[in-house]
PDB file of all heavy atoms in Angstrom:
ATOM      1  N   LYS A 901      76.110  79.170  13.007  1.00  0.00           N
ATOM      2  CA  LYS A 901      76.045  79.507  11.580  1.00  0.00           C
ATOM      3  C   LYS A 901      76.486  80.946  11.282  1.00  0.00           C
ATOM      4  O   LYS A 901      76.643  81.315  10.140  1.00  0.00           O
ATOM      5  CB  LYS A 901      74.621  79.273  11.043  1.00  0.00           C
ATOM      6  CG  LYS A 901      74.204  77.815  11.016  1.00  0.00           C
ATOM      7  CD  LYS A 901      75.138  76.972  10.160  1.00  0.00           C
ATOM      8  CE  LYS A 901      74.689  75.511  10.141  1.00  0.00           C
ATOM      9  NZ  LYS A 901      75.641  74.629   9.462  1.00  0.00           N
ATOM     10  N   GLY A 902      76.658  81.753  12.327  1.00  0.00           N
ATOM     11  CA  GLY A 902      77.322  83.037  12.129  1.00  0.00           C
ATOM     12  C   GLY A 902      76.439  84.239  11.904  1.00  0.00           C
ATOM     13  O   GLY A 902      76.605  85.263  12.565  1.00  0.00           O
ATOM     14  N   LEU A 903      75.538  84.177  10.950  1.00  0.00           N
ATOM     15  CA  LEU A 903      74.739  85.341  10.570  1.00  0.00           C
ATOM     16  C   LEU A 903      73.891  85.848  11.737  1.00  0.00           C
ATOM     17  O   LEU A 903      73.194  85.081  12.388  1.00  0.00           O
ATOM     18  CB  LEU A 903      73.828  84.972   9.395  1.00  0.00           C
ATOM     19  CG  LEU A 903      73.041  86.111   8.756  1.00  0.00           C
ATOM     20  CD1 LEU A 903      73.967  87.067   8.003  1.00  0.00           C
ATOM     21  CD2 LEU A 903      71.983  85.551   7.802  1.00  0.00           C
ATOM     22  N   ARG A 904      73.949  87.157  11.989  1.00  0.00           N
ATOM     23  CA  ARG A 904      73.127  87.744  13.038  1.00  0.00           C
ATOM     24  C   ARG A 904      71.722  87.986  12.481  1.00  0.00           C
ATOM     25  O   ARG A 904      71.577  88.551  11.396  1.00  0.00           O
ATOM     26  CB  ARG A 904      73.726  89.065  13.527  1.00  0.00           C
ATOM     27  CG  ARG A 904      75.121  88.937  14.100  1.00  0.00           C
ATOM     28  CD  ARG A 904      75.597  90.250  14.685  1.00  0.00           C
ATOM     29  NE  ARG A 904      77.037  90.244  14.902  1.00  0.00           N
ATOM     30  CZ  ARG A 904      77.657  89.738  15.958  1.00  0.00           C
ATOM     31  NH1 ARG A 904      76.945  89.176  16.925  1.00  0.00           N
ATOM     32  NH2 ARG A 904      78.974  89.785  16.062  1.00  0.00           N
ATOM     33  N   CYS A 905      70.692  87.613  13.230  1.00  0.00           N
ATOM     34  CA  CYS A 905      69.318  87.714  12.738  1.00  0.00           C
ATOM     35  C   CYS A 905      68.415  88.400  13.753  1.00  0.00           C
ATOM     36  O   CYS A 905      68.385  88.027  14.932  1.00  0.00           O
ATOM     37  CB  CYS A 905      68.756  86.327  12.424  1.00  0.00           C
ATOM     38  SG  CYS A 905      69.619  85.476  11.076  1.00  0.00           S
ATOM     39  N   ASN A 906      67.691  89.408  13.273  1.00  0.00           N
ATOM     40  CA  ASN A 906      66.658  90.069  14.049  1.00  0.00           C
ATOM     41  C   ASN A 906      65.323  89.627  13.464  1.00  0.00           C
ATOM     42  O   ASN A 906      65.094  89.785  12.262  1.00  0.00           O
ATOM     43  CB  ASN A 906      66.824  91.593  13.947  1.00  0.00           C
ATOM     44  CG  ASN A 906      65.811  92.340  14.787  1.00  0.00           C
ATOM     45  OD1 ASN A 906      64.680  92.540  14.370  1.00  0.00           O
ATOM     46  ND2 ASN A 906      66.225  92.757  15.978  1.00  0.00           N
ATOM     47  N   LEU A 907      64.466  89.045  14.296  1.00  0.00           N
ATOM     48  CA  LEU A 907      63.242  88.415  13.807  1.00  0.00           C
ATOM     49  C   LEU A 907      62.031  89.337  13.941  1.00  0.00           C
ATOM     50  O   LEU A 907      61.611  89.658  15.058  1.00  0.00           O
ATOM     51  CB  LEU A 907      62.975  87.117  14.576  1.00  0.00           C
ATOM     52  CG  LEU A 907      64.119  86.103  14.647  1.00  0.00           C
ATOM     53  CD1 LEU A 907      63.650  84.837  15.363  1.00  0.00           C
ATOM     54  CD2 LEU A 907      64.669  85.758  13.268  1.00  0.00           C
ATOM     55  N   LEU A 908      61.469  89.755  12.805  1.00  0.00           N
ATOM     56  CA  LEU A 908      60.204  90.492  12.808  1.00  0.00           C
ATOM     57  C   LEU A 908      59.070  89.473  12.973  1.00  0.00           C
ATOM     58  O   LEU A 908      59.056  88.448  12.276  1.00  0.00           O
ATOM     59  CB  LEU A 908      60.030  91.288  11.517  1.00  0.00           C
ATOM     60  CG  LEU A 908      60.611  92.710  11.530  1.00  0.00           C
ATOM     61  CD1 LEU A 908      62.125  92.669  11.691  1.00  0.00           C
ATOM     62  CD2 LEU A 908      60.248  93.451  10.253  1.00  0.00           C
ATOM     63  N   ILE A 909      58.149  89.774  13.861  1.00  0.00           N
ATOM     64  CA  ILE A 909      57.108  88.813  14.223  1.00  0.00           C
ATOM     65  C   ILE A 909      55.746  89.303  13.726  1.00  0.00           C
ATOM     66  O   ILE A 909      55.301  90.394  14.080  1.00  0.00           O
ATOM     67  CB  ILE A 909      57.055  88.614  15.758  1.00  0.00           C
ATOM     68  CG1 ILE A 909      58.456  88.288  16.319  1.00  0.00           C
ATOM     69  CG2 ILE A 909      56.044  87.534  16.110  1.00  0.00           C
ATOM     70  CD1 ILE A 909      59.102  87.041  15.745  1.00  0.00           C
ATOM     71  N   ASP A 910      55.067  88.493  12.914  1.00  0.00           N
ATOM     72  CA  ASP A 910      53.749  88.855  12.389  1.00  0.00           C
ATOM     73  C   ASP A 910      52.760  89.040  13.547  1.00  0.00           C
ATOM     74  O   ASP A 910      52.764  88.286  14.524  1.00  0.00           O
ATOM     75  CB  ASP A 910      53.235  87.763  11.453  1.00  0.00           C
ATOM     76  CG  ASP A 910      54.247  87.438  10.369  1.00  0.00           C
ATOM     77  OD1 ASP A 910      54.254  88.115   9.340  1.00  0.00           O
ATOM     78  OD2 ASP A 910      55.063  86.510  10.577  1.00  0.00           O
ATOM     79  N   TYR A 911      51.880  90.033  13.399  1.00  0.00           N
ATOM     80  CA  TYR A 911      51.022  90.428  14.522  1.00  0.00           C
ATOM     81  C   TYR A 911      50.122  89.311  15.076  1.00  0.00           C
ATOM     82  O   TYR A 911      49.820  89.313  16.274  1.00  0.00           O
ATOM     83  CB  TYR A 911      50.193  91.667  14.166  1.00  0.00           C
ATOM     84  CG  TYR A 911      49.016  91.429  13.262  1.00  0.00           C
ATOM     85  CD1 TYR A 911      47.784  91.037  13.782  1.00  0.00           C
ATOM     86  CD2 TYR A 911      49.117  91.612  11.891  1.00  0.00           C
ATOM     87  CE1 TYR A 911      46.700  90.812  12.957  1.00  0.00           C
ATOM     88  CE2 TYR A 911      48.039  91.391  11.061  1.00  0.00           C
ATOM     89  CZ  TYR A 911      46.832  90.992  11.583  1.00  0.00           C
ATOM     90  OH  TYR A 911      45.765  90.767  10.773  1.00  0.00           O
ATOM     91  N   PRO A 912      49.667  88.314  14.255  1.00  0.00           N
ATOM     92  CA  PRO A 912      48.848  87.263  14.885  1.00  0.00           C
ATOM     93  C   PRO A 912      49.593  86.479  15.964  1.00  0.00           C
ATOM     94  O   PRO A 912      48.965  85.783  16.770  1.00  0.00           O
ATOM     95  CB  PRO A 912      48.481  86.352  13.703  1.00  0.00           C
ATOM     96  CG  PRO A 912      48.568  87.235  12.497  1.00  0.00           C
ATOM     97  CD  PRO A 912      49.725  88.149  12.781  1.00  0.00           C
ATOM     98  N   TYR A 913      50.932  86.595  16.001  1.00  0.00           N
ATOM     99  CA  TYR A 913      51.711  85.845  16.990  1.00  0.00           C
ATOM    100  C   TYR A 913      51.978  86.648  18.261  1.00  0.00           C
ATOM    101  O   TYR A 913      52.739  86.200  19.123  1.00  0.00           O
ATOM    102  CB  TYR A 913      53.036  85.378  16.372  1.00  0.00           C
ATOM    103  CG  TYR A 913      52.841  84.435  15.205  1.00  0.00           C
ATOM    104  CD1 TYR A 913      52.994  84.888  13.900  1.00  0.00           C
ATOM    105  CD2 TYR A 913      52.467  83.109  15.402  1.00  0.00           C
ATOM    106  CE1 TYR A 913      52.785  84.041  12.818  1.00  0.00           C
ATOM    107  CE2 TYR A 913      52.258  82.254  14.336  1.00  0.00           C
ATOM    108  CZ  TYR A 913      52.415  82.726  13.038  1.00  0.00           C
ATOM    109  OH  TYR A 913      52.211  81.886  11.976  1.00  0.00           O
ATOM    110  N   LEU A 914      51.339  87.805  18.406  1.00  0.00           N
ATOM    111  CA  LEU A 914      51.515  88.599  19.632  1.00  0.00           C
ATOM    112  C   LEU A 914      51.181  87.798  20.895  1.00  0.00           C
ATOM    113  O   LEU A 914      51.952  87.821  21.867  1.00  0.00           O
ATOM    114  CB  LEU A 914      50.661  89.864  19.561  1.00  0.00           C
ATOM    115  CG  LEU A 914      51.361  91.163  19.149  1.00  0.00           C
ATOM    116  CD1 LEU A 914      50.340  92.262  18.903  1.00  0.00           C
ATOM    117  CD2 LEU A 914      52.375  91.604  20.198  1.00  0.00           C
ATOM    118  N   PRO A 915      50.044  87.089  20.922  1.00  0.00           N
ATOM    119  CA  PRO A 915      49.749  86.297  22.127  1.00  0.00           C
ATOM    120  C   PRO A 915      50.802  85.226  22.398  1.00  0.00           C
ATOM    121  O   PRO A 915      51.188  85.010  23.552  1.00  0.00           O
ATOM    122  CB  PRO A 915      48.380  85.670  21.808  1.00  0.00           C
ATOM    123  CG  PRO A 915      47.771  86.582  20.781  1.00  0.00           C
ATOM    124  CD  PRO A 915      48.925  87.053  19.950  1.00  0.00           C
ATOM    125  N   ALA A 916      51.272  84.577  21.329  1.00  0.00           N
ATOM    126  CA  ALA A 916      52.297  83.536  21.507  1.00  0.00           C
ATOM    127  C   ALA A 916      53.589  84.142  22.043  1.00  0.00           C
ATOM    128  O   ALA A 916      54.283  83.532  22.870  1.00  0.00           O
ATOM    129  CB  ALA A 916      52.554  82.830  20.175  1.00  0.00           C
ATOM    130  N   LEU A 917      53.900  85.335  21.587  1.00  0.00           N
ATOM    131  CA  LEU A 917      55.098  86.035  22.055  1.00  0.00           C
ATOM    132  C   LEU A 917      55.026  86.240  23.565  1.00  0.00           C
ATOM    133  O   LEU A 917      55.993  86.005  24.303  1.00  0.00           O
ATOM    134  CB  LEU A 917      55.187  87.384  21.328  1.00  0.00           C
ATOM    135  CG  LEU A 917      56.536  88.080  21.191  1.00  0.00           C
ATOM    136  CD1 LEU A 917      57.516  87.232  20.389  1.00  0.00           C
ATOM    137  CD2 LEU A 917      56.359  89.431  20.510  1.00  0.00           C
ATOM    138  N   LYS A 918      53.841  86.655  24.013  1.00  0.00           N
ATOM    139  CA  LYS A 918      53.637  86.891  25.446  1.00  0.00           C
ATOM    140  C   LYS A 918      53.738  85.588  26.231  1.00  0.00           C
ATOM    141  O   LYS A 918      54.374  85.535  27.293  1.00  0.00           O
ATOM    142  CB  LYS A 918      52.272  87.550  25.665  1.00  0.00           C
ATOM    143  CG  LYS A 918      52.037  88.055  27.071  1.00  0.00           C
ATOM    144  CD  LYS A 918      50.730  88.839  27.149  1.00  0.00           C
ATOM    145  CE  LYS A 918      50.518  89.439  28.527  1.00  0.00           C
ATOM    146  NZ  LYS A 918      49.252  90.214  28.584  1.00  0.00           N
ATOM    147  N   GLU A 919      53.107  84.543  25.691  1.00  0.00           N
ATOM    148  CA  GLU A 919      53.133  83.235  26.364  1.00  0.00           C
ATOM    149  C   GLU A 919      54.557  82.707  26.506  1.00  0.00           C
ATOM    150  O   GLU A 919      54.888  82.053  27.506  1.00  0.00           O
ATOM    151  CB  GLU A 919      52.299  82.221  25.575  1.00  0.00           C
ATOM    152  CG  GLU A 919      50.794  82.404  25.710  1.00  0.00           C
ATOM    153  CD  GLU A 919      50.017  81.505  24.751  1.00  0.00           C
ATOM    154  OE1 GLU A 919      50.592  80.484  24.310  1.00  0.00           O
ATOM    155  OE2 GLU A 919      48.859  81.830  24.436  1.00  0.00           O
ATOM    156  N   MET A 920      55.406  82.991  25.510  1.00  0.00           N
ATOM    157  CA  MET A 920      56.780  82.496  25.539  1.00  0.00           C
ATOM    158  C   MET A 920      57.705  83.413  26.341  1.00  0.00           C
ATOM    159  O   MET A 920      58.896  83.160  26.449  1.00  0.00           O
ATOM    160  CB  MET A 920      57.308  82.344  24.104  1.00  0.00           C
ATOM    161  CG  MET A 920      56.598  81.244  23.321  1.00  0.00           C
ATOM    162  SD  MET A 920      57.056  81.203  21.570  1.00  0.00           S
ATOM    163  CE  MET A 920      58.771  80.668  21.659  1.00  0.00           C
ATOM    164  N   GLY A 921      57.130  84.483  26.902  1.00  0.00           N
ATOM    165  CA  GLY A 921      57.933  85.399  27.712  1.00  0.00           C
ATOM    166  C   GLY A 921      58.921  86.210  26.901  1.00  0.00           C
ATOM    167  O   GLY A 921      59.996  86.589  27.394  1.00  0.00           O
ATOM    168  N   MET A 922      58.560  86.485  25.652  1.00  0.00           N
ATOM    169  CA  MET A 922      59.456  87.217  24.759  1.00  0.00           C
ATOM    170  C   MET A 922      58.906  88.600  24.444  1.00  0.00           C
ATOM    171  O   MET A 922      57.699  88.814  24.427  1.00  0.00           O
ATOM    172  CB  MET A 922      59.637  86.460  23.433  1.00  0.00           C
ATOM    173  CG  MET A 922      60.344  85.135  23.547  1.00  0.00           C
ATOM    174  SD  MET A 922      60.433  84.336  21.914  1.00  0.00           S
ATOM    175  CE  MET A 922      61.433  82.893  22.287  1.00  0.00           C
ATOM    176  N   ALA A 923      59.808  89.526  24.186  1.00  0.00           N
ATOM    177  CA  ALA A 923      59.449  90.868  23.730  1.00  0.00           C
ATOM    178  C   ALA A 923      60.597  91.381  22.883  1.00  0.00           C
ATOM    179  O   ALA A 923      61.617  90.692  22.728  1.00  0.00           O
ATOM    180  CB  ALA A 923      59.186  91.787  24.918  1.00  0.00           C
ATOM    181  N   VAL A 924      60.448  92.571  22.337  1.00  0.00           N
ATOM    182  CA  VAL A 924      61.509  93.135  21.515  1.00  0.00           C
ATOM    183  C   VAL A 924      62.817  93.180  22.311  1.00  0.00           C
ATOM    184  O   VAL A 924      62.840  93.518  23.487  1.00  0.00           O
ATOM    185  CB  VAL A 924      61.129  94.540  21.005  1.00  0.00           C
ATOM    186  CG1 VAL A 924      60.929  95.519  22.155  1.00  0.00           C
ATOM    187  CG2 VAL A 924      62.153  95.078  20.024  1.00  0.00           C
ATOM    188  N   GLY A 925      63.909  92.762  21.668  1.00  0.00           N
ATOM    189  CA  GLY A 925      65.217  92.733  22.328  1.00  0.00           C
ATOM    190  C   GLY A 925      65.531  91.417  23.009  1.00  0.00           C
ATOM    191  O   GLY A 925      66.675  91.180  23.423  1.00  0.00           O
ATOM    192  N   PHE A 926      64.524  90.526  23.108  1.00  0.00           N
ATOM    193  CA  PHE A 926      64.776  89.209  23.725  1.00  0.00           C
ATOM    194  C   PHE A 926      65.818  88.464  22.903  1.00  0.00           C
ATOM    195  O   PHE A 926      65.756  88.420  21.679  1.00  0.00           O
ATOM    196  CB  PHE A 926      63.481  88.390  23.777  1.00  0.00           C
ATOM    197  CG  PHE A 926      63.657  86.999  24.328  1.00  0.00           C
ATOM    198  CD1 PHE A 926      63.495  86.759  25.685  1.00  0.00           C
ATOM    199  CD2 PHE A 926      64.003  85.938  23.496  1.00  0.00           C
ATOM    200  CE1 PHE A 926      63.660  85.472  26.196  1.00  0.00           C
ATOM    201  CE2 PHE A 926      64.163  84.652  24.001  1.00  0.00           C
ATOM    202  CZ  PHE A 926      63.998  84.426  25.357  1.00  0.00           C
ATOM    203  N   GLY A 927      66.775  87.845  23.571  1.00  0.00           N
ATOM    204  CA  GLY A 927      67.796  87.076  22.869  1.00  0.00           C
ATOM    205  C   GLY A 927      69.176  87.584  23.197  1.00  0.00           C
ATOM    206  O   GLY A 927      69.461  87.988  24.329  1.00  0.00           O
ATOM    207  N   ASN A 928      70.052  87.572  22.197  1.00  0.00           N
ATOM    208  CA  ASN A 928      71.423  88.033  22.406  1.00  0.00           C
ATOM    209  C   ASN A 928      71.890  88.797  21.166  1.00  0.00           C
ATOM    210  O   ASN A 928      71.071  89.128  20.299  1.00  0.00           O
ATOM    211  CB  ASN A 928      72.350  86.837  22.707  1.00  0.00           C
ATOM    212  CG  ASN A 928      72.262  85.746  21.632  1.00  0.00           C
ATOM    213  OD1 ASN A 928      72.075  86.032  20.449  1.00  0.00           O
ATOM    214  ND2 ASN A 928      72.379  84.492  22.032  1.00  0.00           N
ATOM    215  N   GLU A 929      73.164  89.076  21.069  1.00  0.00           N
ATOM    216  CA  GLU A 929      73.666  89.884  19.952  1.00  0.00           C
ATOM    217  C   GLU A 929      73.666  89.132  18.625  1.00  0.00           C
ATOM    218  O   GLU A 929      73.885  89.727  17.572  1.00  0.00           O
ATOM    219  CB  GLU A 929      75.074  90.389  20.276  1.00  0.00           C
ATOM    220  CG  GLU A 929      75.058  91.463  21.364  1.00  0.00           C
ATOM    221  CD  GLU A 929      76.413  91.688  22.012  1.00  0.00           C
ATOM    222  OE1 GLU A 929      77.341  90.888  21.721  1.00  0.00           O
ATOM    223  OE2 GLU A 929      76.556  92.640  22.791  1.00  0.00           O
ATOM    224  N   LYS A 930      73.408  87.839  18.668  1.00  0.00           N
ATOM    225  CA  LYS A 930      73.355  87.051  17.428  1.00  0.00           C
ATOM    226  C   LYS A 930      71.918  86.825  16.959  1.00  0.00           C
ATOM    227  O   LYS A 930      71.643  86.806  15.765  1.00  0.00           O
ATOM    228  CB  LYS A 930      74.066  85.707  17.630  1.00  0.00           C
ATOM    229  CG  LYS A 930      75.561  85.845  17.809  1.00  0.00           C
ATOM    230  CD  LYS A 930      76.228  84.479  17.878  1.00  0.00           C
ATOM    231  CE  LYS A 930      77.740  84.625  17.975  1.00  0.00           C
ATOM    232  NZ  LYS A 930      78.427  83.306  18.036  1.00  0.00           N
ATOM    233  N   LEU A 931      71.019  86.622  17.892  1.00  0.00           N
ATOM    234  CA  LEU A 931      69.622  86.336  17.559  1.00  0.00           C
ATOM    235  C   LEU A 931      68.720  87.119  18.491  1.00  0.00           C
ATOM    236  O   LEU A 931      68.850  87.027  19.719  1.00  0.00           O
ATOM    237  CB  LEU A 931      69.340  84.840  17.695  1.00  0.00           C
ATOM    238  CG  LEU A 931      67.884  84.399  17.497  1.00  0.00           C
ATOM    239  CD1 LEU A 931      67.415  84.702  16.074  1.00  0.00           C
ATOM    240  CD2 LEU A 931      67.728  82.910  17.798  1.00  0.00           C
ATOM    241  N   GLN A 932      67.802  87.895  17.924  1.00  0.00           N
ATOM    242  CA  GLN A 932      66.996  88.785  18.744  1.00  0.00           C
ATOM    243  C   GLN A 932      65.587  88.943  18.171  1.00  0.00           C
ATOM    244  O   GLN A 932      65.394  88.918  16.961  1.00  0.00           O
ATOM    245  CB  GLN A 932      67.680  90.155  18.797  1.00  0.00           C
ATOM    246  CG  GLN A 932      67.355  90.979  20.007  1.00  0.00           C
ATOM    247  CD  GLN A 932      68.309  92.159  20.126  1.00  0.00           C
ATOM    248  OE1 GLN A 932      67.957  93.274  19.730  1.00  0.00           O
ATOM    249  NE2 GLN A 932      69.500  91.934  20.663  1.00  0.00           N
ATOM    250  N   ILE A 933      64.624  89.098  19.061  1.00  0.00           N
ATOM    251  CA  ILE A 933      63.249  89.404  18.647  1.00  0.00           C
ATOM    252  C   ILE A 933      63.181  90.876  18.258  1.00  0.00           C
ATOM    253  O   ILE A 933      63.708  91.750  18.950  1.00  0.00           O
ATOM    254  CB  ILE A 933      62.251  89.116  19.792  1.00  0.00           C
ATOM    255  CG1 ILE A 933      62.217  87.611  20.113  1.00  0.00           C
ATOM    256  CG2 ILE A 933      60.846  89.613  19.428  1.00  0.00           C
ATOM    257  CD1 ILE A 933      61.667  86.720  19.017  1.00  0.00           C
ATOM    258  N   GLY A 934      62.511  91.155  17.132  1.00  0.00           N
ATOM    259  CA  GLY A 934      62.376  92.514  16.644  1.00  0.00           C
ATOM    260  C   GLY A 934      60.947  93.024  16.760  1.00  0.00           C
ATOM    261  O   GLY A 934      60.205  92.667  17.676  1.00  0.00           O
ATOM    262  N   ALA A 935      60.550  93.832  15.782  1.00  0.00           N
ATOM    263  CA  ALA A 935      59.254  94.515  15.819  1.00  0.00           C
ATOM    264  C   ALA A 935      58.114  93.602  15.355  1.00  0.00           C
ATOM    265  O   ALA A 935      58.329  92.508  14.828  1.00  0.00           O
ATOM    266  CB  ALA A 935      59.317  95.763  14.942  1.00  0.00           C
ATOM    267  N   ILE A 936      56.885  94.099  15.551  1.00  0.00           N
ATOM    268  CA  ILE A 936      55.679  93.390  15.118  1.00  0.00           C
ATOM    269  C   ILE A 936      55.353  93.797  13.686  1.00  0.00           C
ATOM    270  O   ILE A 936      55.146  94.976  13.386  1.00  0.00           O
ATOM    271  CB  ILE A 936      54.494  93.710  16.050  1.00  0.00           C
ATOM    272  CG1 ILE A 936      54.762  93.164  17.455  1.00  0.00           C
ATOM    273  CG2 ILE A 936      53.189  93.150  15.485  1.00  0.00           C
ATOM    274  CD1 ILE A 936      54.941  91.654  17.531  1.00  0.00           C
ATOM    275  N   LYS A 937      55.273  92.816  12.800  1.00  0.00           N
ATOM    276  CA  LYS A 937      55.053  93.067  11.368  1.00  0.00           C
ATOM    277  C   LYS A 937      53.556  93.131  11.051  1.00  0.00           C
ATOM    278  O   LYS A 937      52.786  92.256  11.440  1.00  0.00           O
ATOM    279  CB  LYS A 937      55.711  91.953  10.539  1.00  0.00           C
ATOM    280  CG  LYS A 937      55.450  92.007   9.037  1.00  0.00           C
ATOM    281  CD  LYS A 937      56.199  93.144   8.377  1.00  0.00           C
ATOM    282  CE  LYS A 937      55.836  93.272   6.909  1.00  0.00           C
ATOM    283  NZ  LYS A 937      56.223  92.120   6.093  1.00  0.00           N
ATOM    284  N   ILE A 938      53.166  94.184  10.328  1.00  0.00           N
ATOM    285  CA  ILE A 938      51.771  94.409   9.942  1.00  0.00           C
ATOM    286  C   ILE A 938      51.737  94.819   8.473  1.00  0.00           C
ATOM    287  O   ILE A 938      52.657  95.492   7.992  1.00  0.00           O
ATOM    288  CB  ILE A 938      51.141  95.553  10.785  1.00  0.00           C
ATOM    289  CG1 ILE A 938      51.340  95.310  12.292  1.00  0.00           C
ATOM    290  CG2 ILE A 938      49.666  95.720  10.471  1.00  0.00           C
ATOM    291  CD1 ILE A 938      51.052  96.527  13.153  1.00  0.00           C
ATOM    292  N   PHE A 939      50.685  94.435   7.767  1.00  0.00           N
ATOM    293  CA  PHE A 939      50.468  94.904   6.390  1.00  0.00           C
ATOM    294  C   PHE A 939      49.381  95.976   6.405  1.00  0.00           C
ATOM    295  O   PHE A 939      48.287  95.752   6.896  1.00  0.00           O
ATOM    296  CB  PHE A 939      50.018  93.761   5.478  1.00  0.00           C
ATOM    297  CG  PHE A 939      51.147  92.925   4.952  1.00  0.00           C
ATOM    298  CD1 PHE A 939      51.598  91.833   5.668  1.00  0.00           C
ATOM    299  CD2 PHE A 939      51.756  93.230   3.751  1.00  0.00           C
ATOM    300  CE1 PHE A 939      52.645  91.053   5.203  1.00  0.00           C
ATOM    301  CE2 PHE A 939      52.808  92.463   3.260  1.00  0.00           C
ATOM    302  CZ  PHE A 939      53.256  91.379   3.992  1.00  0.00           C
ATOM    303  N   ALA A 940      49.701  97.154   5.835  1.00  0.00           N
ATOM    304  CA  ALA A 940      48.692  98.205   5.712  1.00  0.00           C
ATOM    305  C   ALA A 940      48.045  98.203   4.338  1.00  0.00           C
ATOM    306  O   ALA A 940      46.887  98.598   4.189  1.00  0.00           O
ATOM    307  CB  ALA A 940      49.312  99.573   5.992  1.00  0.00           C
ATOM    308  N   ASP A 941      48.798  97.788   3.306  1.00  0.00           N
ATOM    309  CA  ASP A 941      48.234  97.747   1.951  1.00  0.00           C
ATOM    310  C   ASP A 941      48.934  96.686   1.134  1.00  0.00           C
ATOM    311  O   ASP A 941      49.653  95.832   1.685  1.00  0.00           O
ATOM    312  CB  ASP A 941      48.284  99.122   1.278  1.00  0.00           C
ATOM    313  CG  ASP A 941      49.700  99.647   1.014  1.00  0.00           C
ATOM    314  OD1 ASP A 941      50.667  99.064   1.549  1.00  0.00           O
ATOM    315  OD2 ASP A 941      49.844 100.635   0.266  1.00  0.00           O
ATOM    316  N   GLY A 942      48.730  96.716  -0.197  1.00  0.00           N
ATOM    317  CA  GLY A 942      49.290  95.693  -1.070  1.00  0.00           C
ATOM    318  C   GLY A 942      50.471  96.202  -1.874  1.00  0.00           C
ATOM    319  O   GLY A 942      51.460  96.665  -1.324  1.00  0.00           O
TER     320      GLY A 942
END
């Protein structure tokens, strides 16, 4: 589909990320795992 995507991962999925053997930079130049997303305020 062409579009390059960097995926920000919500913090509750940190354990799942570890279980799947993924960390920041996992993937390739088209699709990659990014930072952990957190909300500090509204």
Side-chain angles (χ1 to χ4, degrees):
K901 293 301 180 187
L903 187 69
R904 300 186 196 277
C905 296
N906 183 278
L907 308 184
L908 271 64
I909 308 301
D910 307 274
Y911 76 86
Y913 298 103
L914 261 171
L917 203 62
K918 190 173 184 179
E919 285 172 22
M920 293 172 68
M922 294 178 175
V924 62
F926 177 91
N928 54 34
E929 289 162 352
K930 292 185 177 180
L931 175 63
Q932 205 167 99
I933 295 294
I936 295 299
K937 174 72 185 296
I938 308 166
F939 277 89
D941 65 348

